mmCIF file with all atom_site columns, all heavy atoms in Angstrom:
data_model
loop_
_atom_site.group_PDB
_atom_site.id
_atom_site.type_symbol
_atom_site.label_atom_id
_atom_site.label_alt_id
_atom_site.label_comp_id
_atom_site.label_asym_id
_atom_site.label_entity_id
_atom_site.label_seq_id
_atom_site.pdbx_PDB_ins_code
_atom_site.Cartn_x
_atom_site.Cartn_y
_atom_site.Cartn_z
_atom_site.occupancy
_atom_site.B_iso_or_equiv
_atom_site.pdbx_formal_charge
_atom_site.auth_seq_id
_atom_site.auth_comp_id
_atom_site.auth_asym_id
_atom_site.auth_atom_id
_atom_site.pdbx_PDB_model_num
ATOM 1   N N   . ASP C 1 492 ? -15.090 23.700 -6.442  1.00 0.00 ? 496 ASP C N   1
ATOM 2   C CA  . ASP C 1 492 ? -16.502 23.381 -6.187  1.00 0.00 ? 496 ASP C CA  1
ATOM 3   C C   . ASP C 1 492 ? -16.723 23.293 -4.688  1.00 0.00 ? 496 ASP C C   1
ATOM 4   O O   . ASP C 1 492 ? -17.791 23.572 -4.174  1.00 0.00 ? 496 ASP C O   1
ATOM 5   C CB  . ASP C 1 492 ? -16.859 21.988 -6.753  1.00 0.00 ? 496 ASP C CB  1
ATOM 6   C CG  . ASP C 1 492 ? -16.950 21.989 -8.262  1.00 0.00 ? 496 ASP C CG  1
ATOM 7   O OD1 . ASP C 1 492 ? -16.893 23.086 -8.851  1.00 0.00 ? 496 ASP C OD1 1
ATOM 8   O OD2 . ASP C 1 492 ? -17.086 20.893 -8.850  1.00 0.00 ? 496 ASP C OD2 1
ATOM 9   N N   . ASP C 1 493 ? -15.663 22.828 -4.013  1.00 0.00 ? 497 ASP C N   1
ATOM 10  C CA  . ASP C 1 493 ? -15.792 22.416 -2.618  1.00 0.00 ? 497 ASP C CA  1
ATOM 11  C C   . ASP C 1 493 ? -15.303 23.518 -1.686  1.00 0.00 ? 497 ASP C C   1
ATOM 12  O O   . ASP C 1 493 ? -14.133 23.880 -1.706  1.00 0.00 ? 497 ASP C O   1
ATOM 13  C CB  . ASP C 1 493 ? -14.965 21.142 -2.415  1.00 0.00 ? 497 ASP C CB  1
ATOM 14  C CG  . ASP C 1 493 ? -15.335 20.405 -1.147  1.00 0.00 ? 497 ASP C CG  1
ATOM 15  O OD1 . ASP C 1 493 ? -15.963 21.016 -0.273  1.00 0.00 ? 497 ASP C OD1 1
ATOM 16  O OD2 . ASP C 1 493 ? -14.992 19.210 -1.035  1.00 0.00 ? 497 ASP C OD2 1
ATOM 17  N N   . ARG C 1 494 ? -16.194 24.054 -0.863  1.00 0.00 ? 498 ARG C N   1
ATOM 18  C CA  . ARG C 1 494 ? -15.807 25.111 0.073   1.00 0.00 ? 498 ARG C CA  1
ATOM 19  C C   . ARG C 1 494 ? -15.806 24.603 1.507   1.00 0.00 ? 498 ARG C C   1
ATOM 20  O O   . ARG C 1 494 ? -15.739 25.379 2.445   1.00 0.00 ? 498 ARG C O   1
ATOM 21  C CB  . ARG C 1 494 ? -16.767 26.300 -0.053  1.00 0.00 ? 498 ARG C CB  1
ATOM 22  C CG  . ARG C 1 494 ? -16.825 26.904 -1.446  1.00 0.00 ? 498 ARG C CG  1
ATOM 23  C CD  . ARG C 1 494 ? -15.434 27.381 -1.838  1.00 0.00 ? 498 ARG C CD  1
ATOM 24  N NE  . ARG C 1 494 ? -15.354 27.718 -3.245  1.00 0.00 ? 498 ARG C NE  1
ATOM 25  C CZ  . ARG C 1 494 ? -15.554 28.927 -3.727  1.00 0.00 ? 498 ARG C CZ  1
ATOM 26  N NH1 . ARG C 1 494 ? -15.852 29.910 -2.915  1.00 0.00 ? 498 ARG C NH1 1
ATOM 27  N NH2 . ARG C 1 494 ? -15.449 29.165 -5.011  1.00 0.00 ? 498 ARG C NH2 1
ATOM 28  N N   . SER C 1 495 ? -15.924 23.314 1.652   1.00 0.00 ? 499 SER C N   1
ATOM 29  C CA  . SER C 1 495 ? -16.046 22.749 2.994   1.00 0.00 ? 499 SER C CA  1
ATOM 30  C C   . SER C 1 495 ? -14.683 22.675 3.681   1.00 0.00 ? 499 SER C C   1
ATOM 31  O O   . SER C 1 495 ? -13.642 22.586 3.033   1.00 0.00 ? 499 SER C O   1
ATOM 32  C CB  . SER C 1 495 ? -16.643 21.357 2.884   1.00 0.00 ? 499 SER C CB  1
ATOM 33  O OG  . SER C 1 495 ? -16.424 20.643 4.066   1.00 0.00 ? 499 SER C OG  1
ATOM 34  N N   . LEU C 1 496 ? -14.704 22.732 4.990   1.00 0.00 ? 500 LEU C N   1
ATOM 35  C CA  . LEU C 1 496 ? -13.458 22.574 5.737   1.00 0.00 ? 500 LEU C CA  1
ATOM 36  C C   . LEU C 1 496 ? -13.139 21.107 5.980   1.00 0.00 ? 500 LEU C C   1
ATOM 37  O O   . LEU C 1 496 ? -11.979 20.723 6.090   1.00 0.00 ? 500 LEU C O   1
ATOM 38  C CB  . LEU C 1 496 ? -13.566 23.289 7.093   1.00 0.00 ? 500 LEU C CB  1
ATOM 39  C CG  . LEU C 1 496 ? -13.455 24.818 7.052   1.00 0.00 ? 500 LEU C CG  1
ATOM 40  C CD1 . LEU C 1 496 ? -13.712 25.390 8.432   1.00 0.00 ? 500 LEU C CD1 1
ATOM 41  C CD2 . LEU C 1 496 ? -12.092 25.244 6.547   1.00 0.00 ? 500 LEU C CD2 1
ATOM 42  N N   . ALA C 1 497 ? -14.174 20.280 6.065   1.00 0.00 ? 501 ALA C N   1
ATOM 43  C CA  . ALA C 1 497 ? -13.958 18.874 6.401   1.00 0.00 ? 501 ALA C CA  1
ATOM 44  C C   . ALA C 1 497 ? -13.486 18.079 5.191   1.00 0.00 ? 501 ALA C C   1
ATOM 45  O O   . ALA C 1 497 ? -14.155 18.045 4.171   1.00 0.00 ? 501 ALA C O   1
ATOM 46  C CB  . ALA C 1 497 ? -15.248 18.262 6.946   1.00 0.00 ? 501 ALA C CB  1
ATOM 47  N N   . PHE C 1 498 ? -12.337 17.510 5.321   1.00 0.00 ? 502 PHE C N   1
ATOM 48  C CA  . PHE C 1 498 ? -11.767 16.617 4.324   1.00 0.00 ? 502 PHE C CA  1
ATOM 49  C C   . PHE C 1 498 ? -11.935 17.137 2.894   1.00 0.00 ? 502 PHE C C   1
ATOM 50  O O   . PHE C 1 498 ? -12.506 16.480 2.022   1.00 0.00 ? 502 PHE C O   1
ATOM 51  C CB  . PHE C 1 498 ? -12.377 15.214 4.445   1.00 0.00 ? 502 PHE C CB  1
ATOM 52  C CG  . PHE C 1 498 ? -11.330 14.150 4.306   1.00 0.00 ? 502 PHE C CG  1
ATOM 53  C CD1 . PHE C 1 498 ? -10.732 13.614 5.431   1.00 0.00 ? 502 PHE C CD1 1
ATOM 54  C CD2 . PHE C 1 498 ? -10.902 13.719 3.056   1.00 0.00 ? 502 PHE C CD2 1
ATOM 55  C CE1 . PHE C 1 498 ? -9.730  12.657 5.318   1.00 0.00 ? 502 PHE C CE1 1
ATOM 56  C CE2 . PHE C 1 498 ? -9.904  12.768 2.927   1.00 0.00 ? 502 PHE C CE2 1
ATOM 57  C CZ  . PHE C 1 498 ? -9.325  12.233 4.064   1.00 0.00 ? 502 PHE C CZ  1
ATOM 58  N N   . ASN C 1 499 ? -11.423 18.303 2.665   1.00 0.00 ? 503 ASN C N   1
ATOM 59  C CA  . ASN C 1 499 ? -11.577 18.917 1.354   1.00 0.00 ? 503 ASN C CA  1
ATOM 60  C C   . ASN C 1 499 ? -10.480 18.423 0.399   1.00 0.00 ? 503 ASN C C   1
ATOM 61  O O   . ASN C 1 499 ? -9.413  19.002 0.298   1.00 0.00 ? 503 ASN C O   1
ATOM 62  C CB  . ASN C 1 499 ? -11.549 20.440 1.488   1.00 0.00 ? 503 ASN C CB  1
ATOM 63  C CG  . ASN C 1 499 ? -11.953 21.131 0.206   1.00 0.00 ? 503 ASN C CG  1
ATOM 64  O OD1 . ASN C 1 499 ? -11.723 20.610 -0.878  1.00 0.00 ? 503 ASN C OD1 1
ATOM 65  N ND2 . ASN C 1 499 ? -12.559 22.294 0.329   1.00 0.00 ? 503 ASN C ND2 1
ATOM 66  N N   . THR C 1 500 ? -10.766 17.337 -0.291  1.00 0.00 ? 504 THR C N   1
ATOM 67  C CA  . THR C 1 500 ? -9.760  16.756 -1.183  1.00 0.00 ? 504 THR C CA  1
ATOM 68  C C   . THR C 1 500 ? -9.537  17.628 -2.418  1.00 0.00 ? 504 THR C C   1
ATOM 69  O O   . THR C 1 500 ? -8.502  17.541 -3.065  1.00 0.00 ? 504 THR C O   1
ATOM 70  C CB  . THR C 1 500 ? -10.181 15.353 -1.642  1.00 0.00 ? 504 THR C CB  1
ATOM 71  O OG1 . THR C 1 500 ? -11.545 15.393 -2.061  1.00 0.00 ? 504 THR C OG1 1
ATOM 72  C CG2 . THR C 1 500 ? -10.027 14.341 -0.521  1.00 0.00 ? 504 THR C CG2 1
ATOM 73  N N   . GLU C 1 501 ? -10.525 18.451 -2.743  1.00 0.00 ? 505 GLU C N   1
ATOM 74  C CA  . GLU C 1 501 ? -10.341 19.327 -3.902  1.00 0.00 ? 505 GLU C CA  1
ATOM 75  C C   . GLU C 1 501 ? -9.322  20.427 -3.599  1.00 0.00 ? 505 GLU C C   1
ATOM 76  O O   . GLU C 1 501 ? -8.528  20.809 -4.449  1.00 0.00 ? 505 GLU C O   1
ATOM 77  C CB  . GLU C 1 501 ? -11.688 19.922 -4.318  1.00 0.00 ? 505 GLU C CB  1
ATOM 78  C CG  . GLU C 1 501 ? -11.740 20.205 -5.807  1.00 0.00 ? 505 GLU C CG  1
ATOM 79  C CD  . GLU C 1 501 ? -12.951 21.033 -6.198  1.00 0.00 ? 505 GLU C CD  1
ATOM 80  O OE1 . GLU C 1 501 ? -13.642 21.568 -5.314  1.00 0.00 ? 505 GLU C OE1 1
ATOM 81  O OE2 . GLU C 1 501 ? -13.191 21.139 -7.408  1.00 0.00 ? 505 GLU C OE2 1
ATOM 82  N N   . LEU C 1 502 ? -9.351  20.903 -2.355  1.00 0.00 ? 506 LEU C N   1
ATOM 83  C CA  . LEU C 1 502 ? -8.344  21.882 -1.929  1.00 0.00 ? 506 LEU C CA  1
ATOM 84  C C   . LEU C 1 502 ? -6.949  21.275 -2.049  1.00 0.00 ? 506 LEU C C   1
ATOM 85  O O   . LEU C 1 502 ? -6.017  21.889 -2.589  1.00 0.00 ? 506 LEU C O   1
ATOM 86  C CB  . LEU C 1 502 ? -8.609  22.311 -0.479  1.00 0.00 ? 506 LEU C CB  1
ATOM 87  C CG  . LEU C 1 502 ? -7.484  23.062 0.238   1.00 0.00 ? 506 LEU C CG  1
ATOM 88  C CD1 . LEU C 1 502 ? -7.293  24.443 -0.369  1.00 0.00 ? 506 LEU C CD1 1
ATOM 89  C CD2 . LEU C 1 502 ? -7.762  23.191 1.728   1.00 0.00 ? 506 LEU C CD2 1
ATOM 90  N N   . ILE C 1 503 ? -6.812  20.037 -1.582  1.00 0.00 ? 507 ILE C N   1
ATOM 91  C CA  . ILE C 1 503 ? -5.514  19.362 -1.666  1.00 0.00 ? 507 ILE C CA  1
ATOM 92  C C   . ILE C 1 503 ? -5.115  19.176 -3.129  1.00 0.00 ? 507 ILE C C   1
ATOM 93  O O   . ILE C 1 503 ? -3.967  19.396 -3.505  1.00 0.00 ? 507 ILE C O   1
ATOM 94  C CB  . ILE C 1 503 ? -5.557  18.005 -0.933  1.00 0.00 ? 507 ILE C CB  1
ATOM 95  C CG1 . ILE C 1 503 ? -5.958  18.188 0.538   1.00 0.00 ? 507 ILE C CG1 1
ATOM 96  C CG2 . ILE C 1 503 ? -4.212  17.285 -1.028  1.00 0.00 ? 507 ILE C CG2 1
ATOM 97  C CD1 . ILE C 1 503 ? -5.094  19.132 1.340   1.00 0.00 ? 507 ILE C CD1 1
ATOM 98  N N   . ALA C 1 504 ? -6.105  18.810 -3.976  1.00 0.00 ? 508 ALA C N   1
ATOM 99  C CA  . ALA C 1 504 ? -5.808  18.624 -5.399  1.00 0.00 ? 508 ALA C CA  1
ATOM 100 C C   . ALA C 1 504 ? -5.289  19.916 -6.014  1.00 0.00 ? 508 ALA C C   1
ATOM 101 O O   . ALA C 1 504 ? -4.384  19.899 -6.853  1.00 0.00 ? 508 ALA C O   1
ATOM 102 C CB  . ALA C 1 504 ? -7.054  18.136 -6.131  1.00 0.00 ? 508 ALA C CB  1
ATOM 103 N N   . ALA C 1 505 ? -5.848  21.043 -5.596  1.00 0.00 ? 509 ALA C N   1
ATOM 104 C CA  . ALA C 1 505 ? -5.393  22.334 -6.127  1.00 0.00 ? 509 ALA C CA  1
ATOM 105 C C   . ALA C 1 505 ? -3.957  22.618 -5.687  1.00 0.00 ? 509 ALA C C   1
ATOM 106 O O   . ALA C 1 505 ? -3.125  23.068 -6.485  1.00 0.00 ? 509 ALA C O   1
ATOM 107 C CB  . ALA C 1 505 ? -6.325  23.454 -5.653  1.00 0.00 ? 509 ALA C CB  1
ATOM 108 N N   . LEU C 1 506 ? -3.653  22.339 -4.425  1.00 0.00 ? 510 LEU C N   1
ATOM 109 C CA  . LEU C 1 506 ? -2.295  22.570 -3.930  1.00 0.00 ? 510 LEU C CA  1
ATOM 110 C C   . LEU C 1 506 ? -1.307  21.619 -4.603  1.00 0.00 ? 510 LEU C C   1
ATOM 111 O O   . LEU C 1 506 ? -0.187  21.993 -4.941  1.00 0.00 ? 510 LEU C O   1
ATOM 112 C CB  . LEU C 1 506 ? -2.254  22.405 -2.403  1.00 0.00 ? 510 LEU C CB  1
ATOM 113 C CG  . LEU C 1 506 ? -3.110  23.401 -1.606  1.00 0.00 ? 510 LEU C CG  1
ATOM 114 C CD1 . LEU C 1 506 ? -3.134  23.041 -0.126  1.00 0.00 ? 510 LEU C CD1 1
ATOM 115 C CD2 . LEU C 1 506 ? -2.592  24.829 -1.796  1.00 0.00 ? 510 LEU C CD2 1
ATOM 116 N N   . GLU C 1 507 ? -1.751  20.372 -4.814  1.00 0.00 ? 511 GLU C N   1
ATOM 117 C CA  . GLU C 1 507 ? -0.886  19.400 -5.492  1.00 0.00 ? 511 GLU C CA  1
ATOM 118 C C   . GLU C 1 507 ? -0.613  19.826 -6.933  1.00 0.00 ? 511 GLU C C   1
ATOM 119 O O   . GLU C 1 507 ? 0.511   19.706 -7.429  1.00 0.00 ? 511 GLU C O   1
ATOM 120 C CB  . GLU C 1 507 ? -1.548  18.015 -5.489  1.00 0.00 ? 511 GLU C CB  1
ATOM 121 C CG  . GLU C 1 507 ? -1.539  17.335 -4.128  1.00 0.00 ? 511 GLU C CG  1
ATOM 122 C CD  . GLU C 1 507 ? -2.366  16.051 -4.094  1.00 0.00 ? 511 GLU C CD  1
ATOM 123 O OE1 . GLU C 1 507 ? -3.252  15.869 -4.955  1.00 0.00 ? 511 GLU C OE1 1
ATOM 124 O OE2 . GLU C 1 507 ? -2.134  15.225 -3.198  1.00 0.00 ? 511 GLU C OE2 1
ATOM 125 N N   . LEU C 1 508 ? -1.649  20.317 -7.592  1.00 0.00 ? 512 LEU C N   1
ATOM 126 C CA  . LEU C 1 508 ? -1.470  20.741 -8.983  1.00 0.00 ? 512 LEU C CA  1
ATOM 127 C C   . LEU C 1 508 ? -0.477  21.893 -9.065  1.00 0.00 ? 512 LEU C C   1
ATOM 128 O O   . LEU C 1 508 ? 0.384   21.922 -9.950  1.00 0.00 ? 512 LEU C O   1
ATOM 129 C CB  . LEU C 1 508 ? -2.833  21.145 -9.577  1.00 0.00 ? 512 LEU C CB  1
ATOM 130 C CG  . LEU C 1 508 ? -2.787  21.680 -11.007 1.00 0.00 ? 512 LEU C CG  1
ATOM 131 C CD1 . LEU C 1 508 ? -2.159  20.646 -11.955 1.00 0.00 ? 512 LEU C CD1 1
ATOM 132 C CD2 . LEU C 1 508 ? -4.192  22.043 -11.494 1.00 0.00 ? 512 LEU C CD2 1
#
Side-chain angles (χ1 to χ4, degrees):
Chain C
D496 287 352
D497 197 342
R498 301 301 168 93
S499 163
L500 284 175
F502 222 95
N503 190 329
T504 47
E505 210 191 11
L506 166 69
I507 302 304
L510 297 173
E511 287 172 339
L512 177 58

